[in-house]
């Protein structure tokens, strides 16, 4: 390439890149794409010439390739792998959902993920700088990515705050959500009626954690517990990203690897529980007819985009700290398949535990309805002839109850509805799919109350959620800080939380510009914290009351 070409001049200068695609293509000589440095992988057996990039350009770099891979895995693998992907499998045909998801991952996910890795690594800028490089008129797309990261970070850190609260509440036996609270009325001690109508875990989530009100018109006051938990969450995130990749890269060694340790422990423990095989079998029983529905493919594509973090700017920001000759072909495939297999592992864990919970709830249903039948037999509402001779009420199995239920329903066809008996079918319990906070803070916590040494497993589970959320938050905040730091050259510590910085020895005008930038970034930070508190309060007010659950 000639020395006086625009690309060479751009790489040798320290100015911001603002050329358009038309300018980049205006070379004096035709470009051989196979030997060009734009071809990241390069041709086999040929030495790929590289564009000259100043080695001392002042941009930080990852300490190791492992640190970078863990950062990308920590950003892509998040809470959605644990509570969103299993729900989508349950909803969209079980094992059949894996087929459209895998196809779309290969066709759409990996190519777009590779493009973000390559463009960030090549241009060495955040999302705003990358789109300005492509075309200055498209710089607003990078700004939109930054704003999306800001909104996602506001509600994502609220979830980390909830997990922190449950984490500290888990250090007690029995767990505070294992039983309904007792209300004393004079000499009488009765169970909280609202809790008795729903469940102990549901009551603890809505009333003692969120402290929700019956209507949105009632504010309910300040929730001090959640405010402190949210403050702790923001402090943790601030400490993790305060020095850029120098601090967040070290945090990723733990936050990216620890969730896998917990998931494998939960998988081994879950497989030892009664009914876990039923949950896994129900999960992966394919319903092939679902694959013909366009809605299934749409939700699979949506999950691919969210799982890999495409379009948020975090992937571009992380890859911008790579060496320009890094093999991002390999990185794209590796991170994508790690994300896919993590989703499958989390699905196995979730439905192994939910299968155990479904068996417990089904056995409880059998016992309650068997007591109803005994009452009807003693009051002569039902005849003893309806009960098969081999049925033993003291050791009643689900199959015996199903047979007895079928006989009573057949004989008492007209008045069967008045008896109030339930079928108690295990498949019905397994079909009660839940997602999001309902899975993590209600269904899964209820299942863990039946574990031996339940506080230990509860501590491990919520510590895993904190680390999963922290990995995604680091990527989200990097998607905010990197383009801003590239554009305004603000010191990292100042932008991420510190308020003191010694001004450099420049001219008086440059000093004023830096002071204005520092004050502006401080105001933005305060606004982020204030909006996150308001967002948590708004979610509390908009939650449905327990009586409607």
């Amino acid at each position: 390439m000639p020395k006086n070409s625009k690309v060479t001049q751009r790489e040798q200068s320290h100015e911001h890149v603002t050329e358009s695609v038309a300018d980049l293509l205006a070379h004096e000589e035709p470009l051989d794409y196979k030997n060009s440095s734009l071809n990241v992988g390069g041709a086999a057996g040929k030495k790929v010439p590289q564009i000259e990039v100043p080695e001392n350009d002042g941009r930080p770099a990852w300490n190791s390739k492992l640190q970078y891979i863990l950062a990308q895995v920590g950003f892509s693998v998040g809470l959605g792998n644990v509570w969103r992907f299993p729900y989508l499998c349950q909803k969209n045909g079980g094992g059949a959902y894996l087929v459209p998801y895998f196809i779309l991952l290969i066709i759409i996910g990996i190519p777009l993920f590779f493009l973000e890795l390559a463009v960030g690594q090549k241009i060495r800028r955040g999302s705003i700088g990358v789109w300005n490089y492509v075309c200055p008129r498209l710089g607003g797309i990078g700004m939109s990515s930054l704003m999306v990261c800001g909104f996602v970070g506001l509600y994502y850190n609220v979830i980390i705050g909830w997990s922190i609260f449950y984490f500290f509440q888990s250090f007690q036996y029995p767990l505070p959500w294992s039983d309904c609270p007792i209300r004393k009325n004079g000499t009488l001690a009765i169970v909280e009626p609202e809790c008795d109508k729903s469940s102990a875990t549901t009551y603890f989530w809505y009333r003692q954690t969120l402290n929700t009100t019956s209507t949105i018109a009632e504010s309910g006051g300040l929730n001090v517990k959640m405010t402190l938990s949210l403050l702790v969450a923001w402090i943790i995130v601030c400490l993790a990203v305060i020095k850029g990749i120098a601090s967040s890269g070290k945090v990723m060694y733990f936050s990216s690897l620890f969730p896998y340790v917990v998931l494998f422990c939960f998988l081994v423990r879950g497989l030892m529980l009664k009914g876990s095989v039923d949950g896994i079998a129900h999960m992966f029983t394919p319903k092939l007819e679902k694959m013909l529905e366009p809605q299934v493919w749409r939700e699979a594509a949506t999950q691919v985009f969210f799982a890999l973090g495409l379009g948020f700017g975090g992937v571009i920001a992380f890859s911008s700290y790579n060496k320009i000759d890094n093999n991002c072909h390999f990185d794209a495939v590796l991170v994508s398949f790690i994300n896919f297999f993590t989703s499958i592992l989390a699905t196995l864990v979730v439905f192994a535990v939910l299968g155990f919970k479904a068996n417990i709830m089904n056995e409880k249903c059998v016992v309650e309805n068997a007591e109803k039948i005994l009452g009807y037999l003693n009051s002569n509402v039902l005849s003893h002839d309806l009960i098969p001779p081999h049925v033993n009420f003291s050791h009643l199995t689900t199959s015996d109850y199903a047979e007895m239920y079928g006989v009573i329903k057949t004989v008492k066809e007209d008045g069967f509805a008045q008896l109030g008996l339930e079928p108690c079918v295990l498949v019905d319990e397994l079909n009660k799919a839940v997602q999001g906070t309902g899975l993590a803070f209600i269904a899964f916590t209820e299942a863990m109350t039946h574990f031996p040494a339940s506080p230990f497993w509860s501590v491990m589970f919520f510590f895993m959620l904190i680390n999963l959320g922290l990995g995604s938050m680091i990527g989200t905040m990097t998607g905010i800080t990197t383009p801003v730091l590239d554009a305004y050259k603000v010191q990292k510590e100042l932008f991420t939380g510190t308020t003191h910085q010694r001004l450099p020895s420049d001219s008086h005008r440059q000093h004023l510009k830096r002071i204005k930038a520092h004050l502006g970034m401080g105001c933005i930070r305060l606004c982020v914290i204030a909006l996150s508190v308001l967002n948590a309060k708004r979610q509390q007010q908009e939650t449905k009351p327990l009586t409607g659950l």
Side-chain angles (χ1 to χ4, degrees):
M1 183 179 297
K3 293 183 179 180
N4 59 351
S5 65
K6 295 183 179 181
V7 175
T8 306
Q9 293 174 3
R10 184 190 68 247
E11 295 292 343
Q12 292 178 350
S13 66
H14 296 279
E15 298 178 358
H16 292 296
V17 181
T18 57
E19 289 85 0
S20 64
V21 176
D23 294 329
L24 294 176
L25 297 178
H27 301 305
E28 286 78 28
E29 296 178 1
L31 179 64
D32 184 3
Y33 76 95
K34 292 184 179 179
N35 295 328
S36 171
S37 60
L38 294 174
N39 183 16
V40 182
K46 294 184 180 181
K47 185 177 180 180
V48 180
Q50 303 294 333
I51 292 179
E52 297 179 3
V53 177
E55 295 185 2
N56 298 325
D57 59 354
R59 190 170 189 81
W62 296 101
N63 292 332
S64 64
K65 181 65 175 288
L66 177 61
Q67 194 177 89
Y68 164 68
I69 293 297
L70 291 178
Q72 292 286 13
V73 170
F75 176 55
S76 63
V77 176
L79 298 173
N81 297 77
V82 176
W83 66 33
R84 178 65 178 170
F85 189 86
Y87 165 76
L88 291 176
C89 286
Q90 171 85 358
K91 177 184 176 183
N92 297 312
Y97 175 76
L98 299 178
V99 177
Y101 182 84
F102 185 76
I103 292 175
L104 293 174
L105 178 67
I106 298 297
I107 296 177
I108 300 176
I110 294 180
L112 291 179
F113 189 62
F114 164 72
L115 285 176
E116 290 204 11
L117 292 179
V119 74
Q121 176 179 309
K122 184 65 182 178
I123 302 174
R124 298 174 66 79
R125 292 288 187 274
S127 57
I128 298 178
V130 162
W131 283 103
N132 280 330
Y133 185 101
V134 175
C135 179
R137 296 181 180 179
L138 298 179
I141 299 179
M143 185 63 69
S144 300
S145 297
L146 185 146
M147 294 176 63
V148 169
C149 285
F151 288 123
V152 170
L154 287 178
Y155 84 81
Y156 216 89
N157 219 36
V158 172
I159 300 175
I160 298 179
W162 292 338
S163 302
I164 290 174
F165 175 75
Y166 268 78
F167 172 75
F168 286 108
Q169 291 291 320
S170 300
F171 288 95
Q172 50 185 308
Y173 184 82
L175 292 172
W177 52 82
S178 59
D179 297 309
C180 289
I182 303 299
R183 176 188 294 181
K184 292 185 177 180
N185 186 8
T187 58
L188 297 178
I190 59 174
V191 178
E192 180 67 36
E194 211 174 26
C195 179
D196 192 38
K197 292 179 181 179
S198 54
S199 66
T201 52
T202 305
Y203 180 84
F204 185 85
W205 168 243
Y206 286 106
R207 288 292 182 255
Q208 299 187 14
T209 301
L210 300 182
N211 193 21
T212 56
T213 57
S214 301
T215 62
I216 195 173
E218 302 176 21
S219 62
L222 179 65
N223 191 333
V224 179
K225 297 179 291 185
M226 287 298 98
T227 303
L228 294 177
S229 299
L230 184 61
L231 177 61
V232 172
W234 276 115
I235 292 175
I236 294 175
V237 172
C238 180
L239 294 176
V241 301
I242 192 169
K243 292 187 177 180
I245 62 172
S247 58
S248 61
K250 296 176 182 178
V251 175
M252 286 297 182
Y253 281 116
F254 183 81
S255 64
S256 297
L257 295 177
F258 179 76
Y260 290 96
V261 177
V262 178
L263 284 176
F264 276 111
C265 292
F266 264 97
L267 180 61
V268 174
R269 185 68 186 93
L271 293 176
M272 298 170 61
L273 298 172
K274 179 183 177 182
S276 61
V277 178
D278 296 330
I280 295 175
H282 177 76
M283 175 63 234
F284 286 100
T285 301
K287 302 177 181 64
L288 299 179
E289 66 276 4
K290 285 281 189 178
M291 293 179 60
L292 301 178
E293 299 179 7
Q295 179 71 9
V296 174
W297 290 82
R298 188 188 69 83
E299 292 190 351
T302 303
Q303 180 63 18
V304 167
F305 274 83
F306 278 101
L308 297 179
L310 301 176
F312 288 91
V315 175
I316 295 177
F318 278 148
S319 62
S320 68
Y321 300 110
N322 266 335
K323 295 180 180 179
I324 198 169
D325 58 348
N326 177 62
N327 184 5
C328 53
H329 280 116
F330 173 78
D331 299 343
V333 176
L334 177 64
V335 175
S336 299
F337 277 97
I338 288 177
N339 186 287
F340 177 65
F341 288 116
T342 303
S343 298
I344 295 179
L345 175 62
T347 302
L348 289 172
V349 172
V350 167
F351 276 89
V353 175
L354 293 184
F356 164 70
K357 175 178 175 289
N359 271 267
I360 291 179
M361 299 305 294
N362 194 56
E363 291 176 357
K364 182 179 178 181
C365 176
V366 169
V367 171
E368 291 177 352
N369 285 271
E371 292 177 354
K372 290 183 181 180
I373 294 176
L374 280 175
Y376 293 144
L377 292 174
N378 295 331
S379 60
N380 295 324
V381 175
L382 294 177
S383 172
H384 287 79
D385 296 335
L386 299 178
I387 308 302
H390 63 277
V391 172
N392 184 3
F393 279 91
S394 59
H395 297 86
L396 189 64
T397 63
T398 54
S399 58
D400 290 341
Y401 174 78
E403 182 181 357
M404 183 170 55
Y405 177 85
V407 173
I408 296 175
K409 185 177 182 180
T410 303
V411 175
K412 295 285 186 178
E413 184 176 357
D414 295 334
F416 181 77
Q418 285 72 23
L419 298 177
L421 299 178
E422 299 179 6
C424 298
V425 180
L426 180 62
V427 177
D428 294 339
E429 291 291 338
L430 292 172
N431 283 330
K432 294 179 181 178
V434 289
Q435 63 165 331
T437 55
L439 173 64
F441 298 103
I442 297 179
F444 215 89
T445 53
E446 183 176 354
M448 286 188 295
T449 57
H450 302 285
F451 283 17
S454 55
F456 168 78
W457 294 106
S458 182
V459 168
M460 293 286 285
F461 176 71
F462 289 109
F463 194 38
M464 178 192 71
L465 290 187
I466 293 172
N467 282 275
L468 286 173
L470 182 61
S472 298
M473 271 299 295
I474 290 175
T476 302
M477 296 305 295
T478 304
I480 298 174
T481 58
T482 297
V484 173
L485 293 173
D486 289 342
Y488 299 104
K489 303 298 181 184
V490 184
Q491 185 175 338
K492 297 183 185 67
E493 291 86 350
L494 180 71
F495 181 61
T496 54
T498 308
T499 58
H500 174 73
Q501 179 192 14
R502 180 175 297 175
L503 291 174
S505 57
D506 292 330
S507 64
H508 181 68
R509 181 177 298 178
Q510 290 176 339
H511 289 179
L512 292 177
K513 288 183 178 180
R514 286 182 177 272
I515 292 174
K516 291 179 181 179
H518 298 168
L519 293 176
M521 294 307 106
C523 292
I524 291 175
R525 191 60 184 164
L526 291 175
C527 291
V528 167
I529 297 176
L531 287 174
S532 61
V533 174
L534 292 176
N535 186 38
K537 190 173 182 180
R538 188 181 300 111
Q539 289 188 6
Q540 298 169 15
Q541 296 174 359
E542 293 179 353
T543 309
K544 294 181 179 179
L546 286 177
T547 54
L549 296 177

